[in-house]
């Protein structure tokens, strides 16, 4: 990127917020505040774009659960079969005697992927889940 493609603007914020931001910049290894701000803006744009129902996205859904929870394994499998067209792959990890981690790679319509996430994460026995996606086409 050349300097003619850049626009400069000022940002005002409380000193304590700026100090916290500078600490985050240092922890994450950014060289400048501008790099960090650009990443934050990109992240927000992706998240807003993700809310568009017709957007095609790809990503990964992580689910932590107790595999001893009655009927949970069958419910997880049934829901995944209902969304077979959006699921590219799954990987199952045994964390200990009770806990498992399932990694589900997804691709499809944003609304459908959100619905899949919500159905899986709302099951009794699911302790935690997180979905990370990105639009397939740049925002």
């Amino acid at each position: 990127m050349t300097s003619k493609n850049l626009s400069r603007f000022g940002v005002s914020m409380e000193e304590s917020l700026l100090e916290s931001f500078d600490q985050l910049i240092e922890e994450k290894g950014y060289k400048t505040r501008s790099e960090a701000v650009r990443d934050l803006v990109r992240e927000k744009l992706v998240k807003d774009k993700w809310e568009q129902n017709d957007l095609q996205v790809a990503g990964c859904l992580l689910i932590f659960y107790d595999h001893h929870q009655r009927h949970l394994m069958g419910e997880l499998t049934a829901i995944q079969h209902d969304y077979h067209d959006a699921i590219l792959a799954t990987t199952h990890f045994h964390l200990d005697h009770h806990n498992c981690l399932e990694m589900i790679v997804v691709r499809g319509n944003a609304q459908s992927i959100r619905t899949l996430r919500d159905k899986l994460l709302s099951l009794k026995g699911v302790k935690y889940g997180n979905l990370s996606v990105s639009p397939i086409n740049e925002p």
Side-chain angles (χ1 to χ4, degrees):
M1 186 180 315
T2 63
S3 62
K4 67 181 177 180
N5 293 341
L6 295 176
S7 296
R8 295 185 186 275
F9 66 96
V11 176
S12 299
M13 66 178 71
E14 297 85 16
E15 190 170 322
S16 62
L17 181 60
L18 182 59
E19 288 172 2
S20 295
F21 185 55
D22 285 340
Q23 183 178 356
L24 177 71
I25 289 169
E26 185 177 332
E27 289 171 5
K28 298 292 182 181
Y30 288 103
K31 293 180 180 150
T32 66
R33 287 179 180 160
S34 292
E35 289 176 0
V37 169
R38 282 192 292 269
D39 275 356
L40 290 172
V41 170
R42 284 187 200 103
E43 180 180 345
K44 178 62 175 156
L45 290 172
V46 166
K47 285 182 179 181
D48 283 354
K49 197 81 164 163
W50 152 246
E51 295 300 323
Q52 296 179 13
N53 292 339
D54 61 347
L55 184 69
Q56 292 296 304
V57 297
C60 184
L61 175 59
L62 295 176
I63 304 172
F64 294 87
Y65 60 89
D66 178 353
H67 78 269
H68 289 296
Q69 178 66 46
R70 189 173 187 177
H71 305 295
L72 178 59
M73 298 303 294
E75 291 172 322
L76 286 169
T77 300
I79 292 169
Q80 289 182 49
H81 278 276
D82 289 344
Y83 287 84
H84 67 88
D85 55 328
I87 296 176
L88 301 177
T90 61
T91 303
H92 182 92
F93 302 93
H94 303 282
L95 301 175
D96 58 34
H97 184 69
H98 291 279
N99 296 296
C100 293
L101 166 64
E102 188 121 349
M103 182 175 67
I104 305 169
V105 179
V106 295
R107 179 182 177 156
N109 174 277
Q111 177 61 47
S112 179
I113 301 300
R114 282 195 306 270
T115 302
L116 169 61
R117 172 203 60 199
D118 294 345
K119 286 183 177 185
L120 291 172
L121 298 186
S122 67
L123 294 173
K124 186 174 182 179
V126 173
K127 297 178 177 183
Y128 175 77
N130 185 42
L131 175 64
S132 178
V133 296
S134 178
I136 293 172
N137 298 318
E138 287 293 316

